[in-house]
Amino acid sequence: MAVPAILSADQIDAALAGLPDWRYRLGGLVTVYKAPTSAAALELIAAVGRLAEEQGHHPDLDWRYNRVFLRYSSHDAGGQVTPRDVAAATAAGAAAAASGAAAEPGLFRTIEVGIDTEDPAAISEVWRVALGYRRASSGDLMDPYGRGPGVWFQETSTPNSNHIHLDVHRSQAESGAVQEKTAATGALMNRDHAPGWVVVTDVQGNRLCLCTEAGHGPETVQDQPPPD
């Protein structure tokens, strides 16, 4: 089977202009649908499942009472967005509308663990084995079942005294309000790399980064879970 064409950042933006329920996130299209009831959410899951079987393309799906979290990405294209993902998201959106579900894409957050180190090779195997992860071609560590956060190693000759930080990925459309609320807590906000990411430091020196797709276009091809 031929590998599908990978969409460029401009092509993804054009596709999303016609998919207001969806956002781009680290090589995938993501959204959350809130159904009227938990039973309605199950019906939506069943409808998405039927579509997946018809299309031969299956999403990552998570059910939380009356909310359904969806992510489409083409594993056989290295975990990138292809026309197949756009078609699947379009069909899932139509099924959601038919079920009376409302889109809440801002609820879809993606967490990564970043580790500052002078020598990633010296420590990455410890983390891979302990977590049961697989290594991507980039050197990042990935949960093979997509359940846990990714782990990446920030190589630097001047590691921060707190070597571990979290990267919290939201879409740029929803990031502004979160940044304002975070700043209101008294955290130090370093906006040197905004809107790609903002480095947040709490009063005890612990760091996290609030990230958006502006800092992460279509990704380098990485090892991913087996194709559909």
Side-chain angles (χ1 to χ4, degrees):
M1 181 181 295
V3 176
I6 296 171
L7 298 185
S8 68
D10 287 344
Q11 290 172 321
I12 292 171
D13 287 343
L16 289 175
L19 292 171
D21 294 356
W22 295 79
R23 303 287 187 264
Y24 174 79
R25 180 74 48 73
L26 295 175
L29 301 181
V30 305
T31 195
V32 181
Y33 285 111
K34 180 182 179 182
T37 64
S38 60
L42 281 172
E43 292 174 2
L44 174 58
I45 291 169
V48 170
R50 287 192 293 270
L51 289 169
E53 288 299 299
E54 293 169 3
Q55 298 164 338
H57 189 48
H58 300 79
D60 293 332
L61 185 152
D62 192 11
W63 172 39
R64 290 292 184 266
Y65 186 59
N66 64 337
R67 287 182 171 86
V68 180
F69 292 69
L70 288 169
R71 182 180 189 273
Y72 284 102
S73 181
S74 293
H75 297 153
D76 55 350
Q80 304 285 349
V81 176
T82 69
R84 184 172 56 189
D85 300 301
V86 175
T90 301
S99 72
E104 297 181 328
L107 294 183
F108 201 113
R109 297 181 299 277
T110 304
I111 309 297
E112 292 185 306
V113 178
I115 302 176
D116 284 3
T117 175
E118 296 182 78
D119 186 1
I123 63 172
S124 63
E125 186 67 2
V126 174
W127 289 83
R128 187 194 67 79
V129 172
L131 291 168
Y133 277 18
R134 68 193 314 169
R135 191 182 309 280
S137 57
S138 64
D140 294 355
L141 304 181
M142 317 281 290
D143 183 340
Y145 302 102
R147 298 286 297 165
V151 178
W152 68 284
F153 301 92
Q154 180 167 283
E155 187 170 358
T156 172
S157 60
T158 57
N160 189 276
S161 57
N162 186 346
H163 285 228
I164 296 177
H165 71 275
L166 297 183
D167 290 337
V168 184
H169 294 267
R170 289 182 173 86
S171 296
Q172 195 170 349
E174 287 85 28
S175 65
V178 174
Q179 291 182 26
E180 289 180 9
K181 291 178 180 178
T182 305
T185 67
L188 176 65
M189 309 288 286
N190 181 330
R191 304 179 187 272
D192 288 353
H193 300 284
W197 67 91
V198 173
V199 180
V200 180
T201 306
D202 67 23
V203 296
Q204 296 181 3
N206 304 298
R207 297 174 305 143
L208 61 87
C209 292
L210 299 177
C211 307
T212 76
E213 71 275 17
H216 296 80
E219 307 300 309
T220 302
V221 174
Q222 297 182 348
D223 300 333
Q224 294 288 333
D228 295 327

